[in-house]
């Protein structure tokens, strides 16, 4: 099992942790407001201050009119409480954030809160409330609500979960996103609430509502073979520059279907890391695609199989 890591960059900017309430030296060495993506966090356990209070200190210390990217880190008791106070604080600050172009909600590592323990909520108000956003991301699938939405400027949408609700997948597919260039969905596993089926994903693969899409990630799924088989004939693939089907339960069955479908030689990169391929299939991918200049990632990583009670068990990369 792998674990989600803290973001290192957002909107092309390095992520900088806004100092905690007792870090006086850190407050004396703040970078320029527009030079970094600001991660604002509280402690998940036994927090001295809540996230809204930390954000209030941030808005008092930094010229928010120049802030381009905000990363919401941990909030207090995220394993038990949703982000509604966080969302309210961000929406209240809208007039002071005219330059904000990137927002990520729930950037927590496992020591703070496991990805499938993060309590999320309705992110629709953030997407509606910040029409100038170009990048938006969220981590955590428990309680996650993504309504169908229209956004004219959004170029990148990332949803990282150990189990993404099927309704959220369908609503992303039903949204009006004419500028979307980058879509990355961690679909997860049924063990942690990932109940989507291929039919939920198919409208994305048709691509009718995503005219600008150039990167597609459908990954970290226990139905990865079905997805790869559908991708093999999906209309959206012809216009992609990069394709990511990594981190899931992808076996020779799905890999063979993918390789035997429409040509993938137009891609700049194909990421299939964390797979359950045999060596002969890996070599077929290399022979077919690397010779055409496609950057391949076939690293098996930690995709180990377990045998128990006469069955072979395979796992997604990020679940709990």
């Amino acid at each position: 099992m792998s674990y989600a890591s803290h973001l290192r960059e957002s909107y092309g900017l390095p992520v900088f942790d806004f100092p905690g309430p007792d870090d006086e030296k850190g407050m004396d060495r703040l970078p320029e407001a527009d030079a970094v993506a600001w991660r604002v966090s509280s402690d998940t356990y036994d927090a001295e201050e809540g996230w809204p209070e930390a954000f209030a200190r941030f808005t008092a210390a930094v010229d928010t009119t120049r802030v381009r990217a905000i990363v919401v880190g941990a909030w207090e008791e995220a394993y038990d409480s949703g982000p509604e106070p966080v969302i309210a604080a961000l929406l209240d600050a809208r007039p002071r954030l005219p330059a904000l172009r990137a927002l990520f909600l729930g950037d927590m590592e496992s020591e703070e809160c496991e990805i499938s323990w993060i309590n999320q909520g309705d992110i629709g108000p953030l997407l509606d409330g910040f029409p100038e956003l170009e990048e938006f991301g969220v981590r955590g699938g428990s309680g996650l609500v993504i309504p169908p939405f229209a956004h004219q400027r959004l170029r990148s949408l990332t949803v990282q979960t150990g189990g993404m609700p099927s309704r959220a997948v369908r609503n992303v597919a039903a949204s009006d996103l004419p500028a979307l260039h980058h879509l990355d969905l961690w679909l997860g596993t049924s063990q942690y609430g990932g109940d989507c089926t291929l039919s939920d994903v198919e409208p994305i693969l048709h691509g009718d509502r995503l005219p600008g899409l150039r990167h597609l990630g459908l990954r970290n799924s226990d139905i990865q073979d079905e997805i790869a088989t559908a991708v093999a004939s999906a209309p959206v693939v012809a216009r992609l520059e990069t394709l990511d089907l990594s981190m899931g339960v992808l076996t020779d069955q799905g890999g063979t279907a993918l390789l035997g479908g429409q040509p993938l030689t137009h891609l700049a990169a194909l990421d299939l890391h964390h797979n359950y391929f045999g060596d002969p299939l890996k070599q077929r991918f290399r022979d077919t695609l690397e010779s055409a200049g496609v950057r391949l990632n076939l690293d098996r990583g930690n995709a180990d199989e377990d045998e128990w009670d006469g069955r072979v068990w395979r796992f997604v990369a990020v679940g709990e």
Side-chain angles (χ1 to χ4, degrees):
M1 183 77 64
S2 299
Y3 299 94
S5 300
H6 280 154
L7 299 184
R8 295 184 178 182
E9 68 89 26
S10 175
Y11 203 60
L13 302 170
V15 174
F16 177 85
D17 284 296
F18 183 70
D22 300 323
D23 188 355
E24 296 181 5
K25 291 183 178 179
M27 292 297 292
D28 291 335
R29 297 191 296 267
L30 297 180
E32 293 295 322
D34 56 0
V36 299
W38 296 87
R39 180 162 45 225
V40 181
S41 304
S42 177
D43 290 326
T44 309
Y45 303 95
D46 301 322
E48 293 183 23
E49 67 174 354
W51 195 94
E53 289 71 38
F55 187 63
R57 287 193 302 107
F58 166 73
T59 58
V62 174
D63 181 1
T64 57
T65 64
R66 296 166 52 202
V67 169
R68 296 190 287 167
I70 292 176
V71 176
V72 175
W75 56 84
E76 60 278 17
E77 299 182 347
Y79 51 86
D80 197 37
S81 302
E84 288 76 17
V86 175
I87 292 172
L90 288 165
L91 292 175
D92 286 346
R94 278 177 294 180
R96 290 171 283 166
L97 294 166
L100 188 67
R101 296 295 179 268
L103 181 60
F104 191 96
L105 180 67
D107 182 32
M108 301 179 220
E109 294 187 324
S110 60
E111 292 81 1
E112 295 164 309
C113 193
E114 301 284 4
I115 190 170
S116 293
W117 300 1
I118 299 172
N119 274 267
Q120 280 293 350
D122 186 351
I123 63 172
L126 286 177
L127 293 163
D128 291 339
F130 290 95
E132 300 300 315
L133 281 182
E134 297 177 16
E135 297 182 6
F136 182 84
V138 59
R139 181 175 296 167
S142 180
L144 177 66
V145 175
I146 305 177
F149 66 101
H151 203 294
Q152 301 305 302
R153 298 288 300 276
L154 197 67
R155 290 178 51 81
S156 176
L157 176 62
T158 298
V159 184
Q160 299 177 346
T161 77
M164 186 170 173
S166 59
R167 182 178 295 275
V169 178
R170 292 196 299 272
N171 288 348
V172 169
S175 295
D176 181 15
L177 305 169
L180 199 70
H181 185 278
H182 180 109
L183 178 62
D184 187 20
L185 305 180
W186 297 15
L187 301 172
T189 173
S190 58
Q191 184 177 358
Y192 293 105
D195 60 349
C196 88
T197 65
L198 185 60
S199 62
D200 300 315
V201 174
E202 282 176 336
I204 296 172
L205 298 179
H206 292 158
D208 296 339
R209 303 183 68 89
L210 299 168
L213 197 65
R214 296 298 178 266
H215 170 89
L216 176 60
L218 295 171
R219 50 190 183 135
N220 199 50
S221 170
D222 54 10
I223 60 168
Q224 208 70 40
D225 277 346
E226 294 179 54
I227 291 172
T229 301
V231 166
S233 59
V236 74
V237 172
R239 69 166 98 89
L240 296 179
E241 297 171 0
T242 53
L243 175 64
D244 191 339
L245 302 179
S246 66
M247 299 171 58
V249 182
L250 184 59
T251 72
D252 277 11
Q253 177 185 344
T256 299
L258 180 65
L259 196 56
Q262 62 187 303
L264 302 173
T265 51
H266 67 288
L267 294 173
L270 174 62
D271 192 342
L272 302 174
H273 82 267
H274 184 95
N275 60 72
Y276 294 88
F277 293 163
D279 290 337
L281 182 59
K282 287 185 179 182
Q283 191 58 49
R284 285 184 58 201
F285 269 102
R286 295 188 185 101
D287 291 344
T288 303
L289 297 179
E290 283 188 337
S291 61
V294 180
R295 296 193 310 275
L296 275 175
N297 188 345
L298 297 171
D299 185 6
R300 181 157 181 161
N302 64 343
D304 294 325
E305 299 175 342
D306 287 341
E307 292 189 22
W308 182 75
D309 198 23
R311 289 185 60 185
V312 176
W313 297 85
R314 302 181 178 97
F315 306 95
V316 300
V318 178
E320 185 177 14

